[in-house]
Amino acid sequence: MLQSGPVMLVEDKQGTYLGLVRAYRIDGRDRRGFLDLRLSLGQDGPTAETILATLDYLFTFVNLRKVYIESASISEPLFQWLERAGFAEEARLRQYIWRGRDYSDLVYYGLDGDVWLERRKNLENSLLISAAIKQQPSAAQ
């Protein structure tokens, strides 16, 4: 059964809306799902933190084995961050969507759960959220 997942709104420290990250088409049987990224910023800060948290949720708590992104337009900084996270282009439908003046390709990117677990450690170190997590007292204290 396909289900919808979390929707996370992204804001900067001043409360300016930056976009959203939404999980959808979650298939518990085949353990796959999709991310909808409607973001205006690049690879660091709240945008990356939100993607990091959403991927953690999907791979850890929902126990997905694969996450896909379907897009006709991803900004270059966001694309670079997705590559660092382990996403790879898996399919391209050429000249699929009319964008006012011409056709754009529809591209599918995929990320395997085991690749995510390897890459996540490196990404976490580059984010502000990792410093906050490390400063939190552990539950055992």
Side-chain angles (χ1 to χ4, degrees):
M1 180 169 146
L2 298 178
Q3 300 177 355
S4 291
V7 175
M8 301 181 76
L9 301 179
V10 184
E11 297 178 343
D12 63 14
K13 290 180 181 179
Q14 291 75 33
T16 304
Y17 175 76
L18 302 176
L20 67 84
V21 175
R22 176 179 70 103
Y24 68 104
R25 289 175 50 189
I26 296 173
D27 186 336
R29 186 189 66 169
D30 290 330
R31 297 179 48 219
R32 66 176 180 246
F34 281 77
L35 277 185
D36 179 11
L37 302 177
R38 298 181 192 188
L39 303 165
S40 61
L41 278 190
Q43 57 192 12
D44 293 316
T47 300
E49 291 172 5
T50 304
I51 297 170
L52 180 78
T54 306
L55 288 170
D56 272 348
Y57 172 79
L58 293 174
F59 286 122
T60 304
F61 296 105
V62 181
N63 196 29
L64 296 185
R65 64 172 183 78
K66 187 89 169 194
V67 172
Y68 296 97
I69 296 173
E70 171 188 82
S71 180
S73 62
I74 289 184
S75 70
E76 188 61 29
L78 182 56
F79 175 75
Q80 291 172 359
W81 191 92
L82 293 173
E83 281 189 323
R84 283 181 28 211
F87 277 93
E89 184 177 318
E90 296 200 358
R92 180 179 292 267
L93 304 176
R94 301 213 180 271
Q95 297 184 353
Y96 185 79
I97 297 171
W98 178 254
R99 292 285 188 177
R101 294 185 178 175
D102 57 5
Y103 286 93
S104 294
D105 296 350
L106 181 63
V107 183
Y108 288 87
Y109 302 91
L111 175 62
D112 293 319
D114 55 345
V115 172
W116 168 246
L117 292 175
E118 292 173 14
R119 299 278 180 101
R120 185 201 184 285
K121 294 172 190 167
N122 293 332
L123 291 170
E124 181 185 61
N125 291 333
S126 69
L127 297 176
L128 297 174
I129 195 170
S130 65
I133 290 171
K134 290 175 185 173
Q135 292 176 8
Q136 295 285 330
S138 69
Q141 292 179 346

